[in-house]
């Protein structure tokens, strides 16, 4: 099996407000092929595998408070916890996980690029 390349499909999952769209936009500027996987909205635990079929899965985590603030969401803790439950299968199978709470979007992007370059070398 060849190592992943920029042509490999990078799937990105995480709760609302974790930075998925921002990360994908950044990765695509560097030539990576990405897919936003809306696993947090599906009860089908392995939807990310069945529909998106990514070669590499990146999981972004974020706390309830940061998620709410970033997206200006007026939701309850139980809504956030439900998203985490829906994402658990993807989190367990992720190739790379990163907590975005205390990182800037640029730091998250650089961490993911470093990981992708490391597995590509």
């Amino acid at each position: 099996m060849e190592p992943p390349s920029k042509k490999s499909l990078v799937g990105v999952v995480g709760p609302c407000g974790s930075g998925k769209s921002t990360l994908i936009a950044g990765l695509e500027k560097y030539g990576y092929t990405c897919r936003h996987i809306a696993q947090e909205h599906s009860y089908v635990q392995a939807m990310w595998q069945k529909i998106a079929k990514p070669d590499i899965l990146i999981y972004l985590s974020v706390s309830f408070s940061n998620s709410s603030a970033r997206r200006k969401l007026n939701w309850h803790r139980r809504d956030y916890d439900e998203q985490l439950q829906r994402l658990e299968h993807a989190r367990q199978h992720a190739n790379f996980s990163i907590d975005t709470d205390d990182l800037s979007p640029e730091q998250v992007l650089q961490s993911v690029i470093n990981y992708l370059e490391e597995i590509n070398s």
Side-chain angles (χ1 to χ4, degrees):
M1 180 180 206
E2 291 185 35
S5 68
K6 286 188 178 182
K7 293 182 182 191
S8 298
L9 179 60
V10 178
V12 181
V13 296
C16 289
S18 60
K20 297 180 299 290
S21 298
T22 302
L23 175 60
I24 288 170
L27 288 172
E28 288 177 342
K29 286 181 183 177
Y30 284 90
Y32 290 95
T33 304
C34 302
R35 178 165 295 151
H36 175 275
I37 303 171
Q39 181 67 50
E40 73 273 21
H41 301 295
S42 175
Y43 287 105
V44 179
Q45 287 289 305
M47 182 196 81
W48 65 273
Q49 285 175 318
K50 295 176 182 177
I51 295 174
K53 299 177 183 166
D55 300 304
I56 303 160
L57 186 64
I58 307 296
Y59 184 90
L60 304 181
S61 63
V62 64
S63 65
F64 171 69
S65 59
N66 279 341
S67 174
S68 299
R70 289 177 184 175
R71 294 289 306 272
K72 299 181 181 21
L73 296 170
N74 185 18
W75 63 340
H76 301 281
R77 179 66 193 226
R78 71 178 177 272
D79 301 316
Y80 170 81
D81 290 341
E82 187 172 314
Q83 283 195 9
L84 294 183
Q85 183 178 1
R86 293 176 184 178
L87 288 161
E88 183 58 24
H89 186 266
R91 187 192 65 74
Q92 289 176 1
H93 290 84
N95 300 94
F96 184 75
S97 297
I98 185 167
D99 184 342
T100 65
D101 271 353
D102 297 322
L103 300 175
S104 69
E106 295 79 17
Q107 290 171 313
V108 172
L109 175 62
Q110 191 59 58
S111 293
V112 172
I113 287 174
N114 289 347
Y115 168 74
L116 293 172
E117 288 177 349
E118 179 181 310
I119 64 171
N120 211 16
S121 59

